[in-house]
């Protein structure tokens, strides 16, 4: 048997009383992809951070080509040949896409090499390989979501690592983007790199990996081929769950003449780019409306217009009141609460404090009741009550953001891509929670999703937003036949 490129033994990490990773071991050969799966908070990202030296292990060994690197500082580990593609990208905003890739190509002597024309050519070649050639001069802040992920991949490629750690590359990507990212990762394998891959898109992971390891509460629960691991009884129970029920449901919207929310002929321009083009939608009191659209279609812009966060042409009315000229704060007080894709949590405050802030306007009794309901919905938030929001796992942050929005007891709840980064079993829980919310409270919901499997079962009505325009409207039952081609 050939020597492992990366060999991890007995890796353990404690955060205070919590054991985030306990006695994890595996090895990856050159040209092999190992998938790491498990529910939110099971320790996957922590394993990657321990290998990368971003967190120091309490115990265990990490060997790269046989040499011990556990405890080394990150920059030294990077130079030794390990690269990471983070779950959340935080690019520098002053540099263009091309400059970002060039910086990644220049490990040490920045200034001496910056003028080297070979660097420019190499950076351009990497950009084309990941599909960034048309946005080379742009700044990260203006990039579409998938392009930001591409930039992270490009930076990892530029550093020429022999081991690549990829954390949730598929989150928020469309099916065709997932296919092209899968191709790139197969390219790493073909070049003989050792790859460790984490993602909640179970189908795509299974199609890509040579082997899989499943974690739960920091520990290994199964290992083997993707097929064996996905069939494992415990993996099914704690991670995969059942399927989301698509049972037809009775519409709860009222037939009142005037809708709760009326968006009429709304257009939004970002510079010259038309982000929304004459968009009209209505949401009736107690209705559940889903806006389905791929990345960059304009969903977030539509929600931001409603919440008073971007200027627009056209009219938006809420409870028969025109919103133009109303501040975002006043719109929130009127009962529109948006749970943004970017979560906007207070990172340095605890889980409990984030939730309490959400319920600050409620009476003590109402706040206690709402909090109990939410902690029942998301038990992990009770366990993590004292932890800073910034240190929660990706999926835990998503749950906290949704819970905080619900804490405000909104009249209209806007959920922007709530499924991003959630494990299958949590999606199922969230789906049930929304169904319960819908039948037991007066709440009206406007949901933006690209995950149609999640958006359809709950919706009374669907709008399809494509390239800044509404191109279809109808009941879920007609969606598959009339509009579903690129989503299903
Ligand atoms: N600095 C920290 N302090 C305290 N707890 C932490 C810290 N960092 C991580 N944790 C906890 O460790 C556990 C493992 O987190 P990790 O980010 O590794 O999960 P994950 O498997 O990547 O989950 P997800 O799929 O949601 O991204 C989580 O419960 C998290 O809240
Ligand atoms: Mg993670």
């Amino acid at each position: 048997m050939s020597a492992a490129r990366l060999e991890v033994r007995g890796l353990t990490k404690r955060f205070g009383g919590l054991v985030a990773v306990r006695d994890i071991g595996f090895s990856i050969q050159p040209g092999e992809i190992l998938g790491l799966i498990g529910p939110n908070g099971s320790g996957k990202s922590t394993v990657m951070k321990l290998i990368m030296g971003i967190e120091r292990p309490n115990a265990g060994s990490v060997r790269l080509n046989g040499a011990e690197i556990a405890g080394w500082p990150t920059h030294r580990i990077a130079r030794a040949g390990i690269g990471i593609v983070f779950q959340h990208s935080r690019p520098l905003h002053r540099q263009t896409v091309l400059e970002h890739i060039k910086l990644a190509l220049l490990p040490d002597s920045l200034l001496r090499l910056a003028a080297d024309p070979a660097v420019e050519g190499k950076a351009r070649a990497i950009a084309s390989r990941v599909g960034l050639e048309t946005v080379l001069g742009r700044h990260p802040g203006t990039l579409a979501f998938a392009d930001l992920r591409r930039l992270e991949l490009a930076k990892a490629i530029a550093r020429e690592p022999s081991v690549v750690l990829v954390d949730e590359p598929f989150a928020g990507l469309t099916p065709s983007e997932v296919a092209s990212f899968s191709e790139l990762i197969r390219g790493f394998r073909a070049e003989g790199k050792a790859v460790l891959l984490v993602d909640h898109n179970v189908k795509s992971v299974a199609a890509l990996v040579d082997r899989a390891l499943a974690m739960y509460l920091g520990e290994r629960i199964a290992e083997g081929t993707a097929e064996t691991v996905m069939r494992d009884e415990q993996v099914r129970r704690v991670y995969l769950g059942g399927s989301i029920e698509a049972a037809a449901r009775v519409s709860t919207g009222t037939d009142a003449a005037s809708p709760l929310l009326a968006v009429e002929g709304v257009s939004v321009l970002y510079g010259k780019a038309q982000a929304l083009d004459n968009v009209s939608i209505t949401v009736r009191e107690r209705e559940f409306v889903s806006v389905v659209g791929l990345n960059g279609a304009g969903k977030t812009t539509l929600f931001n217009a409603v919440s008073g966060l971007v200027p627009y042409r056209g009219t938006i009315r809420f409870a028969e009141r025109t919103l133009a000229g109303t501040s975002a704060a006043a719109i929130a007080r009127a009962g529109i609460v948006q749970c943004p894709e970017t979560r906007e949590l207070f990172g340095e405050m605890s889980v409990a404090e984030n939730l309490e802030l959400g319920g600050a306007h409620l009476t003590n009794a109402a706040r206690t009741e709402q909090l109990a309901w939410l902690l029942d919905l998301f038990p992990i938030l009770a366990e993590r009550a004292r932890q800073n929001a910034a240190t929660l796992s990706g999926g835990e942050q998503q749950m906290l953001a949704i819970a905080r929005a619900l804490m405000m007891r909104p009249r209209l709840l806007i959920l922007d891509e709530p499924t991003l980064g959630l494990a299958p079993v949590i999606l199922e829980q969230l789906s049930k929670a929304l169904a319960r919310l819908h039948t037991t409270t007066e709440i009206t919901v406007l949901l933006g999703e690209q995950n149609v499997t999640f958006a359809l079962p709950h919706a009374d009505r669907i709008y399809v937003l494509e390239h800044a325009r509404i191109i279809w409207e109808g009941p879920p039952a007609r969606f598959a036949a009339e509009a579903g081609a690129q989503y299903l």
Side-chain angles (χ1 to χ4, degrees):
M1 197 178 127
S2 63
R5 174 67 54 75
L6 182 73
E7 184 164 2
V8 172
R9 289 287 161 250
L11 208 55
T12 296
K13 178 66 184 177
R14 285 186 286 274
F15 293 112
L18 172 79
V19 187
V21 173
R22 188 196 298 269
D23 195 21
I24 289 293
F26 54 81
S27 54
I28 315 181
Q29 308 293 320
E32 191 181 31
I33 306 178
L34 175 68
L36 193 55
I37 63 167
N40 298 117
S42 58
K44 306 177 298 296
S45 296
T46 304
V47 165
M48 288 190 169
K49 287 178 193 159
L50 292 170
I51 295 171
M52 200 65 217
I54 296 166
E55 298 280 2
R56 279 181 78 92
N58 294 103
S61 138
V62 179
R63 286 173 184 273
L64 175 65
N65 298 318
E68 183 64 50
I69 60 166
W72 285 17
T74 302
H75 63 89
R76 201 170 155 210
I77 291 175
R79 218 174 309 144
I82 304 187
I84 188 164
V85 181
F86 282 108
Q87 185 170 7
H88 306 289
S89 49
R90 322 172 187 77
L92 304 163
H93 287 284
R94 279 171 294 124
Q95 266 98 16
T96 64
V97 167
L98 186 63
E99 284 160 352
H100 269 278
I101 303 174
K102 278 158 90 176
L103 274 178
L105 280 167
L106 306 168
D108 296 311
S109 41
L110 276 175
L111 295 169
R112 183 167 53 78
L113 283 169
D116 186 344
V119 170
E120 172 91 17
K122 225 170 162 185
R124 287 179 182 274
I126 292 169
S128 320
R129 176 167 164 202
V130 301
L132 284 173
E133 63 274 21
T134 58
V135 294
L136 286 176
R138 303 235 314 247
H139 292 263
T142 71
L143 291 183
F145 187 77
D147 286 344
L148 275 174
R149 304 318 307 267
R150 286 198 175 87
L151 178 56
E152 289 302 304
L153 271 180
K155 281 160 42 184
I157 293 171
R159 296 189 185 108
E160 294 192 355
S162 62
V163 175
V164 199
L165 316 173
V166 200
D167 201 356
E168 294 200 26
F170 305 136
L173 298 188
T174 67
S176 76
E177 286 163 345
V178 168
S180 84
F181 270 56
S182 294
E183 246 349 276
L184 283 167
I185 295 169
R186 280 197 190 93
F188 291 160
R189 171 166 57 196
E191 287 165 5
K193 298 184 195 306
V195 180
L196 182 63
L197 171 71
V198 167
D199 204 277
H200 292 299
N201 182 334
V202 173
K203 265 193 204 149
S204 305
V205 169
L208 204 51
V209 302
D210 299 300
R211 276 180 308 127
L213 188 156
M215 291 177 70
Y216 178 53
L217 301 176
E219 297 186 37
R220 189 192 76 156
I221 56 167
E223 191 173 359
T225 63
E227 202 176 277
T228 329
V229 170
M230 303 297 179
R231 264 205 318 257
D232 181 272
E233 194 267 326
Q234 195 179 2
V235 171
R236 299 200 73 85
R237 182 160 43 81
V238 303
Y239 182 58
L240 297 173
S243 59
I244 293 173
E245 280 164 40
R249 41 179 301 283
V250 185
S251 174
T252 46
T254 56
D255 289 324
S258 57
L260 180 62
L261 178 75
V263 174
E264 289 162 8
V266 164
S267 296
V268 172
L269 285 174
Y270 295 133
K272 281 191 192 129
Q274 181 107 39
L276 284 184
D277 186 0
N278 198 23
V279 164
S280 299
I281 69 166
T282 56
V283 183
R284 290 192 288 270
E285 188 103 47
R286 300 220 51 209
E287 212 180 11
F288 197 124
V289 171
S290 293
V291 177
V292 165
L294 302 178
N295 283 313
K299 301 188 298 292
T300 300
T301 303
L302 172 62
F303 300 153
N304 283 345
V306 172
S307 299
L309 299 170
V310 298
Y312 54 88
R313 275 190 293 120
T315 311
I316 300 180
R317 278 181 290 119
F318 180 65
E320 303 192 32
R321 210 177 105 201
T322 301
L323 293 185
T326 313
S327 71
I331 289 173
R333 278 196 302 275
I336 299 182
V337 170
Q338 184 179 350
C339 180
E341 199 177 20
T342 47
R343 301 177 187 144
E344 314 285 327
L345 296 167
F346 296 102
E348 297 310 312
M349 293 170 85
S350 71
V351 168
E353 286 163 339
N354 270 279
L355 288 173
E356 275 156 26
L357 270 179
H361 64 294
L362 301 176
T363 63
N364 284 341
R367 189 161 57 239
T368 308
E369 184 194 332
Q370 191 74 354
L371 194 59
W373 185 75
L374 286 169
L375 295 181
D376 179 47
L377 213 58
F378 300 116
I380 188 75
L381 296 181
E383 286 169 37
R384 298 284 180 272
R386 299 282 140 230
Q387 191 173 318
N388 273 4
T391 64
L392 292 176
S393 83
E396 289 165 350
Q397 290 189 20
Q398 187 69 326
M399 290 181 243
L400 177 57
I402 296 167
R404 192 186 54 177
L406 284 172
M407 213 40 218
M408 299 185 208
R409 289 215 172 157
R411 197 163 162 201
L412 172 66
L413 174 66
I414 301 179
L415 291 170
D416 191 0
E417 300 268 352
T419 65
L420 210 69
L422 294 185
V425 70
I426 301 292
L427 278 189
E428 193 189 340
Q429 277 172 28
L430 182 63
S431 182
K432 287 190 180 131
L434 287 181
R436 188 140 61 104
L437 191 72
H438 197 184
T439 47
T440 59
T441 71
E442 295 286 301
I443 201 168
T444 305
V445 180
L446 179 58
L447 169 73
E449 261 300 338
Q450 123 179 329
N451 179 344
V452 166
T453 326
F454 184 83
L456 286 196
H458 301 292
D460 297 313
R461 269 180 320 116
I462 312 269
Y463 287 96
V464 177
L465 188 62
E466 201 175 289
H467 300 305
R469 290 193 182 143
I470 297 289
I471 56 153
W472 188 84
E473 182 206 337
R478 293 204 334 252
F479 178 84
E482 297 177 18
Q486 13 171 5
Y487 300 94
L488 295 165

